[in-house]
Amino acid sequence: MPTHTPLPVPATGAAHRQGGDLRHLPGARNVLDLSTCVNRYGPPPTVREALASVDARALLPHPYAASDEFTAAYAEHMGVDPAHLLAGRGITEFLTLLARVCPAEESTVVTPDYTDTIRLFPRHTGPAAGARDTAAARAERVERAMRRNRFTVLSNPNNPLGISVPRDELVRICAANPGSVLIVDEAYIDFTAGAEGSMTSSGLDNVVVLQSPNKPFGIAGVRTGAMWTRDAELRERIRRSLLNWPISYLDAAAATAALSARAWASATLSSLVENGRRLERLLTDRFGDAVVPGAEAHYRFVHLEDPRPVYRRLVEAGVAVRIFSGSDPGRVSGMRIVAPTTPEMPRVEAALARVPALS
């Protein structure tokens, strides 16, 4: 187990930092980073092998083929027609472009949600005051939003709560509202049902799906992602907004190598999902029903009125988590923690033991 020096770091500002940003912590290299929802087993060996074999001369020309190579590999992984797919620099790029082409007054995001989503789409529909969100409540808000707006944005599985609205329920809602478009951020779908649970198999034209291999394959430092839709007009509007060569040669080399590691992905994602269940039991021992139960993804959320004392205790024990302030737009107050690898689990158990149990 790595040694670390206790870090008596104040939690001021921690709720405004995105997961994985530990630059404010002294000795951050010794901190177990459970603040970002990346596959901590990554990257797969295929990525290290691919990068080790890169010929520097391949960096001389523009990456004309990089996007095509990544798109072909990712379309196969997603089980979709590559003609319906656009490649870009992560899901965030597509959220940014969609926010530009979708009129703000005709768009809404079902909150709580991802940092950039709530920043880019200013109109939100959140849970009732004082209520804890559920899959059923989120589905109701999606249905209400699609009746009233041209564009509705949803993360599914939800970030940060881990709640998933069943695919069949979303298909029903979209089919009943053909004049409205549902934009689904499926960043963590690989941790759950994978292609079987994706809206890419909905058969509907009024659906946009955003996915990326970065989190499930443990390559968050690589900027790759894709937008899928059967809506040719919307797809073309986004295509025209993309810069030339949206995927670099090195991004494509790393991402396509990762996508080839299917057995590795299956084994590590299964391990993380199981560790997420174990983590949920540990958290429930400390926080009781404040823990969001039964999340399908590999991270868990704990409702806390003031998460800063818990954050501080965990950081002092060498474990970083993500906390949120309920006073921020599109947020609920609490803590999100991602499942560690199996060898890291004892360190998490020891850190949580330092946190006083909720009465």
Side-chain angles (χ1 to χ4, degrees):
M1 182 184 303
T3 59
H4 65 273
T5 302
L7 300 171
V9 178
T12 303
H16 301 285
R17 292 183 177 274
Q18 287 193 257
D21 184 1
L22 305 185
R23 291 173 295 177
H24 62 300
L25 297 179
R29 289 187 177 182
N30 294 324
V31 174
L32 177 58
D33 182 13
L34 303 183
S35 68
T36 185
C37 300
V38 70
N39 179 346
R40 289 194 53 79
Y41 286 103
T46 52
V47 173
R48 293 190 287 271
E49 294 164 4
L51 293 179
S53 64
V54 165
D55 184 344
R57 290 174 295 182
L59 302 178
L60 181 62
H62 294 300
Y64 288 101
S67 290
D68 291 341
E69 292 173 359
F70 169 72
T71 300
Y74 204 32
E76 181 180 2
H77 173 78
M78 293 173 65
V80 300
D81 183 344
H84 296 159
L85 211 61
L86 295 178
R89 291 162 295 184
I91 288 174
T92 301
E93 178 172 31
F94 288 110
L95 287 170
T96 302
L97 296 177
L98 286 163
R100 292 175 184 170
V101 303
C102 301
E105 67 277 8
E106 298 177 357
S107 308
T108 191
V109 55
V110 179
T111 57
D113 207 88
Y114 170 61
T115 300
D116 287 315
T117 308
I118 58 179
R119 175 180 61 83
L120 291 164
F121 294 88
R123 294 177 70 237
H124 305 158
T125 175
R132 292 183 180 177
D133 220 350
T134 64
R138 292 181 69 77
E140 289 176 5
R141 297 206 301 283
V142 171
E143 189 159 21
R144 185 166 62 248
M146 291 193 73
R147 287 199 302 264
R148 299 175 179 176
N149 299 274
R150 283 181 60 196
F151 302 96
T152 298
V153 186
L154 173 77
S155 63
N156 203 53
N158 174 251
N159 180 7
L161 300 180
I163 296 170
S164 294
V165 178
R167 172 193 166 280
D168 290 349
E169 181 69 358
L170 292 178
V171 169
R172 181 192 66 78
I173 295 169
C174 290
N177 295 276
S180 181
V181 176
L182 179 65
I183 300 169
V184 191
D185 177 350
E186 293 185 346
Y188 302 106
I189 197 72
D190 283 303
F191 291 92
T192 59
E196 295 179 1
S198 173
M199 286 295 286
T200 56
S201 59
S202 65
L204 299 171
D205 294 338
N206 62 329
V207 174
V208 174
V209 173
L210 308 177
Q211 287 192 22
S212 169
N214 298 351
K215 298 295 177 63
F217 285 91
I219 53 170
V222 173
R223 304 312 302 149
T224 55
M227 186 189 94
W228 173 94
T229 184
R230 291 174 28 156
D231 183 335
E233 180 181 356
L234 180 57
R235 190 171 60 246
E236 183 57 29
R237 292 179 69 187
I238 298 299
R239 187 196 305 276
R240 290 197 301 266
S241 299
L242 288 168
L243 298 177
N244 286 338
W245 313 299
I247 304 295
S248 76
Y249 172 83
L250 290 176
D251 285 332
T256 54
L259 289 165
S260 71
R262 296 183 182 181
W264 177 92
S266 178
T268 59
L269 296 181
S270 294
S271 175
L272 288 175
V273 169
E274 178 56 38
N275 287 348
R277 297 188 186 104
R278 183 177 172 186
L279 178 65
E280 182 176 326
R281 293 192 292 270
L282 291 172
L283 292 169
T284 302
D285 287 343
R286 312 295 319 162
F287 303 107
D289 64 2
V291 181
V292 174
E296 296 180 9
H298 64 308
Y299 50 89
R300 293 298 185 273
F301 188 86
V302 183
H303 290 280
L304 297 169
E305 185 174 345
D306 182 2
R308 291 174 298 176
V310 174
Y311 174 89
R312 187 177 294 110
R313 287 289 186 97
L314 292 175
V315 167
E316 289 171 353
V319 173
V321 298
R322 180 77 193 277
I323 61 173
F324 303 89
S325 170
S327 62
D328 293 335
R331 298 294 199 198
V332 291
S333 184
M335 171 185 76
R336 187 194 67 199
I337 178 170
V338 71
T341 66
T342 299
E344 293 167 344
M345 188 63 78
R347 186 168 174 182
V348 177
E349 293 177 345
L352 286 172
R354 299 181 57 164
V355 177
L358 290 184
S359 55

